[in-house]
Amino acid sequence: EVVLTQSPATLSLSPGERATLSCRASQSVSSFLAWYQQKPGQAPRLLIYDASNRATGIPARFSGSGSGTDFTLTISSLEPEDFGVYYCQQRSNWPQTFGQGTKLEIK
Amino acid sequence: EVQLVESGGGLVQPGRSLRLSCAASGFSFDDYSMHWVRQAPGKGLEWVSGITWNSGSMGYADSVKGRFTISRDNAKNSLFLQMNSLRAEDTAFYYCAKGTSQYESSFQNCWGQGTLVTVSS
């Protein structure tokens, strides 16, 4: 099974700052990687799929990059509603797996 | 608007069975794969199972293989998860999710609000 390791575990930033979240795979997943956002008490929401494609309705401040084993989610200028937990997920190798999450919190 | 509404969760004793249901609306249900993803309270996400648009192929996480069975009824826009031989470690919120394509290997782009399954004596 592919292990996805996310870093940092917690990121403390202020609105307006740039956020950079990392996801590293234990083996190549090509570009078959997604990012999700989850807020307390809510279901996850798909942000990015296939490493760099924004899902429907996702603001342009969210961008994804990377391929193979190293991936990055960037939020160019944080809005108050962006705080929550972010998960990466791969679908290249069976079974699909998620990273352990990065908590993005208000500084 | 896409809506996914799970039901069937609750408190169940170890070793017993439970069947989850998911009612879908707002999209062409039989065009997409469907999935179950779970989350233990306060923990991360775990993909549990996926099924292709036509029930031609199903996949399971190793942790549930042989105990859980996914199925769907396209005529009723419904997804199901039959859970047998439940264990304490199966305690989680179970989310029904719509796939981004027909295939069980797809990502999930719409999620229900989840139903809580608690396995305890």
Side-chain angles (χ1 to χ4, degrees):
Chain A
E1 145 175 334
V2 175
V3 176
L4 298 178
T5 303
Q6 293 186 239
S7 61
T10 303
L11 190 56
S12 298
L13 294 170
S14 301
E17 291 192 292
R18 181 184 188 90
T20 303
L21 288 68
S22 175
C23 178
R24 176 163 290 178
S26 60
Q27 62 190 81
S28 177
V29 298
S30 185
S31 294
F32 299 122
L33 189 109
W35 291 93
Y36 296 82
Q37 176 196 61
Q38 187 178 32
K39 297 180 182 180
Q42 296 186 17
R45 176 174 70 146
L46 178 66
L47 301 173
I48 301 289
Y49 65 95
D50 292 346
S52 61
N53 298 293
R54 273 190 304 276
T56 302
I58 301 304
R61 65 181 180 274
F62 291 91
S63 64
S65 63
S67 66
T69 60
D70 290 297
F71 300 87
T72 301
L73 174 70
T74 302
I75 310 172
S76 59
S77 178
L78 284 165
E79 297 287 342
E81 62 267 27
D82 296 338
F83 295 91
V85 180
Y86 289 78
Y87 295 95
C88 57
Q89 180 198 29
Q90 67 82 24
R91 66 176 184 89
S92 174
N93 296 72
W94 195 266
Q96 299 185 12
T97 50
F98 288 90
Q100 83 281 12
T102 289
K103 183 178 181 181
L104 180 55
E105 60 181 28
I106 300 173
K107 188 173 182 180
Chain B
E1 179 192 3
V2 173
Q3 280 202 319
L4 299 168
V5 180
E6 303 94 338
S7 60
L11 175 63
V12 62
Q13 293 180 327
R16 304 298 291 265
S17 299
L18 208 59
R19 188 189 196 215
L20 304 184
S21 300
C22 172
S25 61
F27 66 102
S28 297
F29 184 73
D30 54 5
D31 279 346
Y32 295 94
S33 63
M34 294 296 295
H35 303 258
W36 290 99
V37 178
R38 69 184 180 183
Q39 185 171 37
K43 302 298 183 182
L45 300 169
E46 180 186 16
W47 178 85
V48 172
S49 183
I51 186 169
T52 54
W53 64 283
N54 62 352
S55 303
S57 180
M58 290 81 82
Y60 301 92
D62 287 343
S63 57
V64 307
K65 198 175 297 182
R67 301 188 298 123
F68 290 11
T69 303
I70 190 171
S71 61
R72 65 189 294 164
D73 183 340
N74 286 349
K76 296 182 178 179
N77 289 354
S78 296
L79 177 72
F80 306 99
L81 186 68
Q82 178 66 43
M83 303 186 295
N84 299 332
S85 303
L86 282 161
R87 306 167 180 166
E89 53 265 35
D90 295 319
T91 294
F93 288 93
Y94 284 74
Y95 292 101
C96 165
K98 170 185 167 291
T100 54
S101 77
Q102 297 177 333
Y103 307 107
E104 79 272 27
S105 63
S106 68
F107 296 124
Q108 298 84 46
N109 62 357
C110 294
W111 300 58
Q113 283 307 301
T115 187
L116 179 60
V117 173
T118 303
V119 184
S120 174
S121 54

